[in-house]
Amino acid sequence: AQKVTQAQTEISVVEKEDVTLDCVYETRDTTYYLFWYKQPPSGELVFLIRRNSFDEQNEISGRYSWNFQKSTSSFNFTITASQVVDSAVYFCALAGAGSYQLTFGKGTKLSVIP
Amino acid sequence: GAVVSQHPSRVICKSGTSVKIECRSLDFQATTMFWYRQFPKQSLMLMATSNEGSKATYEQGVEKDKFLINHASLTLSTLTVTSAHPEDSSFYICSATTSSWPGELFFGEGSRLTVL
């Protein structure tokens, strides 16, 4: 069975602070995909990143960066110099090989205070 | 880029009525679509996997007769909530994949159902 754990339920930071959202996963698959999505109050899921299990390189996209550590089964997400517009619920998700049936974590609600 | 559209985005209905939600892939053929349900302040839970031209595969605990899924074409899947009750009030969101693994995965905007 697959499992995604986002231990942080809610985080509040002051604008311009850096914040890291944790994601730990469990899977028996050797090939799998990890995702991060942003869900603003309007509800739609905004795709942030997809990473396959064979690519352990960290990735940076603007103020966003991701740290994939296969040894600890973690795929953490850092927002640098946070902004009020970053306030949302962030979901980490996992898909096994061959299917995009996603297993989502419970989400982390990020509040960025001006 | 490819887009998945859901309709309606919001629907309010009376208890006992049925509601149909559409999920369309606008510029690609989606051989597989997925339906998720999200209760307020909770995570997304997979309800069913829908393959074009075949019966949907439901997750454990999801009532097939209550949540009817039809994937009649490569661009359209529908979810019908039959005899809706207030406990069915939720955010329903679909996703669609392009053919051949790993392809691409796209989510619809979601549909918020409120049953009075």
Side-chain angles (χ1 to χ4, degrees), chain B residues 10-79:
Chain B
R10 291 179 178 270
V11 56
I12 300 173
C13 70
K14 292 182 179 180
S15 186
T17 60
S18 295
V19 174
K20 180 183 285 187
I21 300 170
E22 295 185 346
C23 177
R24 292 182 183 274
S25 56
L26 297 185
D27 57 0
F28 68 99
Q29 293 184 332
T31 52
T32 305
M33 290 184 172
F34 304 93
W35 287 95
Y36 294 84
R37 177 169 56 185
Q38 183 181 30
F39 290 112
K41 298 186 178 181
Q42 294 190 25
S43 187
L44 288 85
M45 300 298 295
L46 179 66
M47 298 175 66
T49 301
S50 169
N51 290 299
E52 185 267 336
S54 62
K55 290 184 179 180
T57 303
Y58 290 81
E59 295 299 300
Q60 191 173 8
V62 178
E63 299 175 58
K64 302 178 183 181
D65 295 332
K66 182 166 189 60
F67 299 100
L68 301 180
I69 292 172
N70 184 285
H71 194 159
S73 78
L74 286 171
T75 59
L76 175 64
S77 176
T78 59
L79 167 66

Side-chain angles (χ1 to χ4, degrees), chain A residues 33 35 37 39 41-45 50 91 95-102 104-107, chain B residues 34 36 38 41-44 46 49 59 91 93 95 97 101-105 107-109 112:
Chain A
Y33 286 81
F35 300 78
Y37 287 92
Q39 188 177 45
S42 54
E44 81 275 16
L45 287 179
R50 180 183 79 178
F91 289 98
S99 172
Y100 276 133
Q101 293 175 332
L102 296 191
F104 283 85
K106 291 188 176 182
Chain B
F34 304 93
Y36 294 84
Q38 183 181 30
K41 298 186 178 181
Q42 294 190 25
S43 187
L44 288 85
L46 179 66
T49 301
E59 295 299 300
F91 189 64
I93 190 164
S95 66
T97 63
W101 180 261
E104 297 292 334
L105 173 69
F107 277 88
E109 312 97 320
R112 194 168 301 279

